[in-house]
Structures are given as C-alpha cells and as structure tokens.
C-alpha cells in the first residue's frame, strides 16, 4: 500500500522544551491517517499533525466505536530508535477491533506506517535519560448516521508525543467494592474508549478519600482483585509472582506479559490465578505478601505502598533494591534502551 507523505512547512520542534516534558501535552510534527470505506483500507497518508473536521452526527462520538493503543519508542545510546514489542500492540488492537465490530488494521499500515512516521519525525524521539516517544494509534467510526449499528467508514490514526520520565512514587490504592470496570461477557479486555470514561467517577471518589488509584474487583462478587487503575496488578506472595489470569475482564498487558516471561526465565514461580481480597489483606498482615505493583507501558512498574480496604490501610514493606519489582524494572528498562542483549526478540528497530 502506497503511503503518501505531506510534510509540514514549519516544524514545531524548536517550540518544545525537552527538559520539561509533561505526559501527553506535546505532539510531534506529523501523524498517519488511514481511511476505511467500502470494505477496504483506501488511502494512507502522513500529514502535519493538526485538527480534523467531522460532522456532529459522526457515529463514534455517540455510540463509542473507538479503540486505541499505547506504546513507546526509545533512543538508544547509539542513536537508534527502538520500539518495545509493537507487534503485541497490533495484535491486541485487532482483537479490540473485532469485539467492537471494526475492521482490522493490516500490518503494513500499523507497523509499516508507524515505521515511516517515526523515520520522518525521528528528531522528536527524546535523547534524555528516562524520556521516550509515546505512540498513540487509534481508530474511530466516521459514518454520519444516528442509529446504533456498526459504522461502514473508519479512520485509523497514529500520532506521537515526546514524554518525560515517568516517576511514580509508591501508590496508595483502594479496593473498590461498589463500582466495576469490567464484567464477564463485557469489553474489559478491549482497549475501547468507553472503558476509560466509565472509570473516571470511581477514581475521583477514591482520590477524594486520599488514594491515588483504585484496585478493581470482579463485578459479580467484589471478592477477587483484578487490575489497578489502567495497569495490571501483580504481587509477590511467598516468593511467587501472582497475577489475575487474562479473560473478559482483564486487559492483556504487554508489560504484564513481559514481566511474567522474565520471571519464568529467572526461575521465579508464576501463578496466574484468582486472588481474593481476603487472602491479600491477610497476606499483607502476616508478611506473606512482600510486594504489590502495577504493570503498564506508562510507568512500566508502579510500586504500591498502601492498600485500603473497608476503611483500613494495609502497608506493604518498604521497597528494597533486591525486590523482584525493582530488578524487573531495571531489566525491562535496559532491554528497551538496547543496553543489554535482546534475547527474547522484543525490540523493533526503526
Ligand atoms: C493499557 C492497559 C494496561 C497495560 O497494558 P500495557 O500493554 O502493559 O501498557 C492494563 N490495564 C488496562 C485497563 C489498560 O488499559
């Protein structure tokens, strides 16, 4: 498929303060825009990042046929641009698409387009340690029609954001037992826009009570822990890595998958199983639970300090350099930057 390139006449690169990058507030010069109609992907174009114009009746804003992905590219010391496991994001994107009755995006557009886009905006990949280029592919329904049915036209877009180092202080999280993120048979495994709109209200409620994030529990009983905000949730219990099994209600995280693989390679026992809130809080009290952390692209590993449940705060032990989560963070950081050998084939070089 031919990708036409329309370059910006005026780069905005010099306007960006690369020493003070906020997450998701600066956008690289170009974006990729692909159009789907009549059952096929038609035009694919790289053009200047900027506003698009749509009809008020555009279906995605009314009925939520909108999905997205998030991944990062890093600048290695040698100057190469390395993307961490983008094939996994592409596969997951197409699973989300299937669930939302949207067309799949072929590899030549998703990965091929991404490659050309980053080649053009190479100068936007930050060099400073800890910084990266956040990549946001997304797709939305564009038919002008007021009726609940799948759209027949779609846009697939990728834009790029240079982002600063994501430092996460150890989190205070609260076990949510009223609201839910996802239910069996629902769309929790898909990265569709509506899932995130629905999570805002309970998260704000938890913030008001002094917590940074929510631990979601299962919709049917609220007895089993599922995810932490928009991260997968992991624990070290009696030396084993414990995390919820993927299914309808769990987002199949690329970071989660990578942490599990590294744990196995290191000989750490991995248990993908249900974990009850009861076992969790008793385990924290008894000392069996030694680490709790979130896993996701933004922070990679976000350590959890405090877990609130039924009005009581349970404190995890202070962090140590020898912790599994600290070591796995270092391992993934070094792979992403090309500082250690990519023995698992996780790096996609631009
Ligand atoms: C994106 C996301 C994650 C993390 O996935 P990664 O591929 O590791 O970034 C976890 N949970 C939810 C709900 C998410 O949306």
């Amino acid at each position: 498929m031919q990708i036409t390139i329309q370059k910006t006449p005026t780069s905005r690169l010099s306007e960006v303060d690369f020493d003070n990058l906020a997450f998701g507030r600066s956008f690289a010069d170009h974006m990729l825009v692909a159009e789907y109609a009549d059952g096929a992907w038609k035009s694919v174009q790289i053009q200047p990042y900027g506003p698009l114009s749509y009809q008020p009746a555009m279906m995605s804003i009314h009925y939520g046929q909108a999905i997205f992905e998030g991944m990062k590219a890093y600048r290695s010391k040698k100057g190469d641009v390395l993307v961490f496991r983008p094939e996994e994001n592409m596969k997951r994107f197409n699973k989300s698409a299937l669930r939302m009755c949207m067309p799949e995006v072929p590899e030549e557009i998703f990965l091929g387009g991404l490659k050309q886009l980053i080649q053009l905006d190479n100068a936007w990949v930050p060099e400073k340690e800890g910084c990266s280029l956040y990549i946001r592919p997304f797709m939305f329904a564009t038919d002008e029609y007021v009726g609940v049915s799948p759209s027949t036209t779609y846009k697939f877009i990728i834009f790029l954001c240079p982002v600063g180092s994501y430092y996460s202080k150890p989190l205070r999280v609260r076990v949510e037992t009223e609201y839910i993120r996802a239910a069996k048979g629902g769309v929790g495994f898909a990265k569709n826009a509506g899932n995130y709109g629905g999570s805002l209200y309970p998260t704000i409620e938890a913030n008001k009570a002094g917590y940074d994030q929510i631990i979601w529990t299962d919709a049917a009983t609220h007895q089993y822990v599922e995810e932490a905000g928009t991260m997968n949730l992991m624990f070290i219990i009696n030396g084993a890595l414990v995390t919820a099994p993927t299914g309808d209600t769990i987002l199949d995280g690329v970071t989660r998958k990578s942490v599990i693989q590294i744990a196995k390679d290191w000989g750490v026992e991995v248990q993908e199983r249900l974990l009850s809130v009861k076992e969790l809080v008793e385990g924290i009290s008894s000392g069996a639970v030694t680490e709790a952390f979130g896993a996701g692209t933004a922070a990679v590993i976000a350590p959890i300090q405090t877990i609130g449940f039924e009005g009581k705060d349970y404190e995890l032990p202070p962090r140590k350099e020898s912790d599994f989560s600290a070591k796995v963070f270092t391992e993934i950081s070094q792979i992403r930057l090309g500082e250690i050998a990519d023995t698992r084939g996780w790096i996609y070089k631009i």
Side-chain angles (χ1 to χ4, degrees):
M1 185 163 294
Q2 182 65 33
I3 300 181
T4 58
I5 298 181
Q6 184 206 336
K7 280 194 197 170
T8 179
T10 46
S11 171
R12 288 176 285 101
L13 193 58
S14 62
E15 294 166 19
V16 178
D17 178 1
F18 276 82
D19 289 323
N20 292 295
L21 289 167
F23 191 94
R25 300 260 181 217
S26 315
F27 304 94
D29 280 331
H30 298 92
M31 61 182 179
L32 176 114
V33 181
E35 235 174 286
Y36 183 93
D38 305 320
W41 288 99
K42 302 267 150 130
S43 69
V44 188
Q45 167 144 303
I46 290 174
Q47 63 192 63
Y49 175 89
L52 299 164
S53 167
Y54 290 104
Q55 298 297 347
M58 178 170 73
M59 287 181 79
S60 52
I61 3 183
H62 299 269
Y63 308 120
Q65 261 189 312
I67 60 171
F68 69 98
E69 268 303 327
M71 62 255 205
K72 283 178 172 175
Y74 300 84
R75 172 89 60 196
S76 78
K77 287 221 172 66
K78 283 195 286 180
D80 295 328
V81 177
L82 311 175
V83 189
F84 189 72
R85 310 191 75 178
E87 298 92 342
E88 294 295 328
N89 296 86
M90 179 178 66
K91 279 190 228 160
R92 186 169 70 194
F93 190 78
N94 284 333
K95 274 188 202 158
S96 299
L98 193 66
R99 179 63 178 83
M100 302 305 289
C101 298
M102 301 167 89
E104 291 189 14
V105 176
E107 180 168 340
E108 57 174 333
I109 298 178
F110 195 103
L111 285 181
L114 176 66
K115 193 165 187 169
Q116 288 200 35
L117 180 63
I118 296 183
Q119 276 166 349
L120 186 62
D121 278 342
N122 185 304
W124 286 83
V125 184
E127 274 163 21
K128 205 174 147 194
E129 195 180 334
C131 298
S132 59
L133 188 73
Y134 183 77
I135 301 162
R136 170 51 60 88
F138 63 111
M139 174 164 53
F140 55 100
T142 53
D143 276 8
E144 183 186 14
Y145 172 57
V146 182
V148 181
S149 64
S151 178
T152 62
T153 61
Y154 297 88
K155 278 248 173 13
F156 170 70
I157 298 182
I158 307 178
F159 63 70
L160 311 168
C161 305
V163 297
S165 71
Y166 192 105
Y167 170 73
S168 170
K169 69 171 178 17
L171 300 173
R172 286 172 54 80
V173 297
R174 180 168 81 172
V175 177
E176 177 61 60
T177 53
E178 184 179 354
Y179 300 101
I180 62 161
R181 190 190 84 84
K184 279 215 160 48
V187 293
F189 68 91
K191 245 177 152 68
N192 71 301
N195 286 349
Y196 303 85
S199 74
L200 300 177
Y201 186 86
T203 305
I204 299 296
E205 292 292 297
N207 293 157
K208 281 187 203 154
Y211 295 91
D212 302 303
Q213 266 302 349
I214 281 175
I215 288 186
W216 298 107
T217 51
D218 72 289
T221 69
H222 289 300
Q223 280 183 38
Y224 298 95
V225 298
E226 295 205 323
E227 295 202 60
T230 57
M231 294 182 289
N232 291 113
L233 183 57
M234 303 185 134
F235 301 92
I236 298 292
I237 306 180
N238 294 321
L241 177 66
V242 179
T243 192
T246 54
D248 289 359
T249 62
I250 304 287
L251 202 290
D252 187 3
V254 179
T255 315
R256 174 189 182 279
K257 200 175 283 192
S258 306
V259 171
I260 288 174
Q261 186 60 54
I262 291 169
K264 287 180 177 166
D265 293 349
W266 286 350
V268 173
E269 185 191 341
V270 177
Q271 300 173 1
E272 292 183 63
R273 65 168 173 92
L274 297 181
L275 172 66
S276 69
V277 182
K278 185 164 176 284
E279 181 186 345
L280 175 61
V281 296
E282 286 177 1
I284 297 174
S285 302
S286 75
V289 179
T290 51
E291 297 177 47
F293 55 96
T297 293
V300 186
I301 300 291
I304 292 170
Q305 179 60 54
T306 308
I307 296 180
F309 176 58
E310 291 182 339
K312 186 165 175 226
D313 281 348
Y314 296 82
E315 298 291 330
L316 274 294
R319 302 199 74 211
K320 300 190 300 298
E321 266 178 44
S322 58
D323 283 349
F324 171 82
S325 55
K327 289 192 291 188
V328 86
F329 174 77
T330 304
E331 177 85 2
I332 293 180
S333 303
Q334 289 177 332
I335 297 170
R336 295 188 311 188
L337 285 166
E339 286 171 358
I340 57 173
D342 174 29
T343 52
R344 303 174 186 92
W346 287 351
I347 294 301
Y348 180 85
K349 194 166 146 184
I350 297 295

